[in-house]
């Protein structure tokens, strides 16, 4: 007899351009002009977030500041105030906790709430949005659905300052029409590979049996089978599990040789040791990895669970990583990931 799972009601709360929203709250003159929080272009800065007027020019998070300024010459760069953002984040999570049977904080500006399924979830979402705007002066978008996967997609449906509910009666049709790239974990490279098999939407995936999906795509195939049917049994995680400890550095000028790159390791090692000490982690328990971003913004990472997390071990990994692409280097990073994360093939950064 098939197991009957209890009905769930999950809300995904996502702040709208969080850092920029806090800055616009404190300085209303910034509301209608393109602004971004990020590093300076002459120091190879990167955009952390930007407001919606800036996004209309094509500016995006994680974009190089120099590129953002080319797209939007009038873009105003605002220095970040991380202590303030953390304070506002804590205020937000305290507010959300009042409504949650369980709460999972994903980041400073994002959380899942499991609520009593007997309640009117849409009305609750509207109440949360109103209280956040009134008490914190920022806006959030909310997705309402029977699980985490669909709630996250729904929160992006009516951004900014909106909400969307995936009702049980609409679930099948809603999911069938979803492009596969909307599934968390399916990036542009995977999207291209899937397109080679004429798989572009969840409806396309439904034509494949589970065995064929797993044979062709491995664990991603199993994920596709479930998500294309709107299935996600993951409970909310009450503890945020640290996956890795890492440091990185973007250089003011490109590095053109392996020798130049290796010369940066002592400083990175020292910073990594300081971060380990603050986090209470033991380097002996971590599997080391290196990250290299080249001048053309292509990226490679290399990990070896059998290598030691030592200056010599990182040096060997870095030399191997640099052999993958004979290009100038703009960023180097080193780190270690926990055994559990390594077994689950979690993201390095």
């Amino acid at each position: 007899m098939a197991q009957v799972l209890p009905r769930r009601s999950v809300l995904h709360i996502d702040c709208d351009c969080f850092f920029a929203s806090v800055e616009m709250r404190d300085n209303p003159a910034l509301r209608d002009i393109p602004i971004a929080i990020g590093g300076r272009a002459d120091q190879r800065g990167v955009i952390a977030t930007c407001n919606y007027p800036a996004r209309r020019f094509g500016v995006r998070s994680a974009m190089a500041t120099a590129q953002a300024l080319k797209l939007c010459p009038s873009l105003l760069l605002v220095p970040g105030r991380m202590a303030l953002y953390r304070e506002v984040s804590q205020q937000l999570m305290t507010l959300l906790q009042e409504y949650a049977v369980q709460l999972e904080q994903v980041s400073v500006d994002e959380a899942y709430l499991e609520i009593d399924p007997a309640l009117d979830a849409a009305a609750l979402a509207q109440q949360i949005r109103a209280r956040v705007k009134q008490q914190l002066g920022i806006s959030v978008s909310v997705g309402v659905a029977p699980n985490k996967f669909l709630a996250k997609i729904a929160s992006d449906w009516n951004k900014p300052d909106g909400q969307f509910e995936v009702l049980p009666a609409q679930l099948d049709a809603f999911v069938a029409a979803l492009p596969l790239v909307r599934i968390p974990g399916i990036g542009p490279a995977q999207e291209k590979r899937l397109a080679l098999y004429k798989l572009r939407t969840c409806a396309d995936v439904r034509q494949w049996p589970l065995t064929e999906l797993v044979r062709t795509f491995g664990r991603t195939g199993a994920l596709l089978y479930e998500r294309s049917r709107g299935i996600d049994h993951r409970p909310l995680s009450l503890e945020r599990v640290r996956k890795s400890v890492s440091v990185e550095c973007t250089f003011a000028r490109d590095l053109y040789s392996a020798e130049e790159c290796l010369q940066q390791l002592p400083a990175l090692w020292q910073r990594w040791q300081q971060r380990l000490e603050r986090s209470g982690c033991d380097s002996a328990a971590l599997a080391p990895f290196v990250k290299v971003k080249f001048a053309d913004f292509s990226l490679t990472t290399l990990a070896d669970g059998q290598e030691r997390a030592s200056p010599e071990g990182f040096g060997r990994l870095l030399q191997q990583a640099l052999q993958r692409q004979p290009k100038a280097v703009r960023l180097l990073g080193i780190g270690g990931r926990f055994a559990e994360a390594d077994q689950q093939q979690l993201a390095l950064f």
Side-chain angles (χ1 to χ4, degrees), residues 189-200 208 217:
Q190 189 69 266
E191 181 189 21
K192 289 180 181 177
R193 185 184 175 211
L194 291 167
L196 295 176
Y197 294 86
K198 302 189 185 313
L199 297 176
R200 295 180 174 84
W208 284 46
F217 303 108

Side-chain angles (χ1 to χ4, degrees), residues 39 92 126:
L92 173 65
Q126 205 160 15

Side-chain angles (χ1 to χ4, degrees), residues 12-18 21 49 52 55 109-110 129 139-143 151-164 182:
H12 181 251
I13 313 294
D14 194 13
C15 296
D16 301 317
C17 55
F18 179 50
S21 289
T49 192
Y52 283 89
R55 294 183 189 193
D109 64 345
E110 182 183 359
R129 289 173 48 229
S139 67
V140 298
S141 295
V142 184
K152 183 172 178 64
I153 289 176
S155 69
D156 197 43
W157 218 251
N158 284 326
K159 265 187 168 291
D161 192 18
Q163 66 184 69
F164 184 79
R182 297 295 296 269

Side-chain angles (χ1 to χ4, degrees), residues 42-61:
D42 60 358
Q43 296 179 353
R44 292 207 158 167
V46 174
I47 300 299
T49 192
C50 61
N51 64 356
Y52 283 89
R55 294 183 189 193
R56 287 196 282 271
F57 287 87
V59 180
R60 293 291 183 269
S61 300

Side-chain angles (χ1 to χ4, degrees), residues 27-230:
N27 183 359
L30 302 177
R31 289 189 180 278
D32 299 320
I33 64 173
I35 70 166
I37 316 300
R40 290 165 40 185
D42 60 358
Q43 296 179 353
R44 292 207 158 167
V46 174
I47 300 299
T49 192
C50 61
N51 64 356
Y52 283 89
R55 294 183 189 193
R56 287 196 282 271
F57 287 87
V59 180
R60 293 291 183 269
S61 300
M63 176 181 285
T65 301
Q67 175 65 17
L69 289 170
K70 287 180 182 178
L71 293 172
C72 180
S74 62
L75 183 68
L76 176 65
L77 284 176
V78 179
R81 297 186 288 171
M82 290 308 301
L84 174 61
Y85 306 149
R86 284 193 292 268
E87 179 183 341
V88 177
S89 173
Q90 183 56 56
Q91 293 169 349
L92 173 65
M93 298 305 158
T94 300
L95 185 155
L96 296 179
Q97 188 68 66
E98 297 179 25
Y99 296 89
V101 174
Q102 289 186 336
L103 182 143
E104 176 185 342
Q105 181 177 352
V106 180
S107 64
V108 292
D109 64 345
E110 182 183 359
Y112 290 99
L113 278 69
E114 187 104 29
I115 65 170
D116 184 343
L119 298 176
D120 184 335
L124 200 65
Q126 205 160 15
Q127 184 179 345
I128 289 172
R129 289 173 48 229
R131 279 194 63 192
V132 170
K133 185 174 291 187
Q134 179 184 22
Q135 296 181 19
L136 303 184
I138 62 173
S139 67
V140 298
S141 295
V142 184
V144 182
N147 58 48
K148 293 172 68 173
F149 159 58
L150 291 173
K152 183 172 178 64
I153 289 176
S155 69
D156 197 43
W157 218 251
N158 284 326
K159 265 187 168 291
D161 192 18
Q163 66 184 69
F164 184 79
E165 181 177 10
V166 182
L167 296 168
Q170 303 167 341
L171 190 151
D172 190 67
F174 177 80
V175 175
L178 282 177
L180 297 180
V181 74
R182 297 295 296 269
I183 298 176
I186 304 299
Q190 189 69 266
E191 181 189 21
K192 289 180 181 177
R193 185 184 175 211
L194 291 167
L196 295 176
Y197 294 86
K198 302 189 185 313
L199 297 176
R200 295 180 174 84
T201 69
C202 288
D204 298 330
V205 173
R206 291 179 182 181
Q207 306 306 310
W208 284 46
L210 175 60
T211 52
E212 285 300 311
L213 285 169
V214 172
R215 183 179 295 118
T216 308
F217 303 108
R219 290 198 299 176
T220 298
L223 175 76
L224 287 169
Y225 182 87
E226 290 200 340
R227 299 297 183 265
S228 69
R229 290 161 173 79

